[in-house]
Amino acid sequence: MFYSIEELVEQSQDYENISELMIATEIQLSGRTREEIIRLMEKNLVVMEQSIDEGVAGVKSVTGLTGGDATKLNSYLDSGNFLSGETILTAVRNAIAVNEVNAKMGLICATPTAGSAGVVPGVLMACRKRLNLSHSQQLEFLFTAGAFGLVIANNASISGAEGGCQAEVGSASAMAAAALVQANGGTPHQAAQAVAITLKNMMGLICDPVAGLVEVPCVKRNALGSSQAFISADMALAGIESVIPPDEVVEAMYRVGRQMPSIFKETAEGGLAMTPTGQRLAQELMVKD
């Protein structure tokens, strides 16, 4: 069992990769067999694939606040006339798709939460074509992401209500960045650096859902978090390192979350939720109810 990113990196040296360390840890913690753990992760992978397909095909949320943007971005991708790289933009589309399905009360896989569920699958499904990942490598991606997510959850938070959106989309983006590094042949140390780079950039991100719903700005934050994961991974793979060690970055995120005013922690009492438009939408939805 590892309790810090430093321990994670050190212990991974005794295994083929971080994924195998995470599986061994899960066996220890849950008592499940390796086969059971793999089977459960395979179910998660299927749900991720299905939620992306559903979202890209086009959905609308129960409230009508969100929906259809994944379809728009898919058409934009098909046009070929885009500015960003195709892989990153595909991840963005995927992330939007998952969160739009979540907003319509569809089935998604919380990674690590429902509000941040688009980042990890969005990144994975975009990079699997780019890196030609096999089925087992896709599972390794998810186990690697989970390993770093476990450390963040135990030492900081993955809850927007406790730590702001830095704890949700920030953590999801860091998890995806680390998994990307490993998927592209990077070392556990480089994966840890990608986590630090991501969390530093997203530190202080507030949770300010309009009308208290996981829609605005959550869907688009997942989109941008997906792009952040790719940039962080590339920086780490290039040999760029965080001056502040990864575990200290996680600790700093925890402290920022503790110091963050409650109006910025999922209460819909600050940020975008308190803009004139945000307040108007909340009132309109209240009348509908």
Side-chain angles (χ1 to χ4, degrees):
M1 178 64 188
F2 47 88
Y3 297 94
S4 67
I5 293 178
E6 182 178 7
E7 289 180 353
L8 189 164
V9 172
E10 288 177 353
Q11 292 180 29
S12 67
Q13 306 306 316
D14 297 328
Y15 295 84
E16 182 180 345
N17 51 39
I18 292 174
S19 172
E20 289 301 322
L21 169 60
M22 187 62 226
I23 292 172
T25 301
E26 184 65 20
I27 291 172
Q28 177 186 352
L29 293 175
S30 69
R32 295 189 177 101
T33 65
R34 177 186 177 84
E35 291 70 26
E36 289 174 321
I37 292 167
I38 296 294
R39 189 162 55 249
L40 287 170
M41 190 61 86
E42 286 178 327
K43 289 183 179 180
N44 291 336
L45 181 61
V46 169
V47 171
M48 291 175 182
E49 292 171 330
Q50 292 175 342
S51 60
I52 289 173
D53 289 343
E54 183 181 356
V56 171
V59 296
K60 198 74 174 176
S61 71
V62 176
T63 64
L65 282 179
T66 56
D69 285 345
T71 304
K72 291 177 183 176
L73 199 49
N74 190 57
S75 297
Y76 183 65
L77 270 164
D78 288 342
S79 75
N81 189 31
F82 44 83
L83 300 173
S84 304
E86 183 175 5
T87 303
I88 289 180
L89 203 56
T90 299
V92 169
R93 179 204 64 189
N94 294 346
I96 292 174
V98 173
N99 282 86
E100 288 185 336
V101 169
N102 179 56
K104 74 168 280 286
M105 306 300 287
L107 181 63
I108 54 94
C109 180
T111 47
T113 66
S116 59
V119 179
V120 171
V123 169
L124 169 57
M125 301 309 166
C127 82
R128 70 176 179 181
K129 178 181 178 182
R130 173 76 171 78
L131 300 177
N132 194 29
L133 300 181
S134 65
H135 178 71
S136 61
Q137 287 173 324
Q138 292 174 56
L139 295 178
E140 288 174 1
F141 184 104
L142 296 177
F143 280 117
T144 300
F148 284 95
L150 180 63
V151 173
I152 295 170
N154 286 335
N155 291 281
S157 176
I158 56 171
S159 166
E162 183 178 8
C165 199
Q166 61 168 4
E168 291 208 28
V169 174
S171 296
S173 303
M175 291 162 60
L180 269 176
V181 169
Q182 284 274 272
N184 201 38
T187 66
H189 174 78
Q190 289 175 321
Q193 296 306 307
V195 168
I197 291 167
T198 303
L199 291 180
K200 287 196 299 184
N201 187 58
M202 304 188 82
M203 192 171 295
L205 185 61
I206 65 173
C207 182
D208 52 346
V210 170
L213 302 168
V214 188
E215 296 192 55
V216 180
C218 316
V219 174
K220 294 181 179 66
R221 283 191 180 151
N222 275 259
L224 274 298
S226 298
S227 65
Q228 172 71 55
F230 276 95
I231 301 304
S232 295
D234 274 332
M235 290 175 68
L237 287 165
I240 297 172
E241 301 203 351
S242 172
V243 174
I244 308 301
D247 284 312
E248 292 184 27
V249 175
V250 172
E251 171 63 23
M253 186 182 81
Y254 172 69
R255 291 198 305 272
V256 169
R258 291 291 300 270
Q259 295 163 350
M260 188 180 289
S262 62
I263 62 171
F264 297 140
K265 293 193 283 190
E266 211 172 300
T267 58
E269 296 176 345
L272 297 175
M274 292 303 291
T275 61
T277 298
Q279 289 287 282
R280 174 179 59 78
L281 290 171
Q283 288 296 320
E284 289 175 357
L285 291 171
M286 191 179 300
V287 171
K288 285 183 182 180
D289 291 341

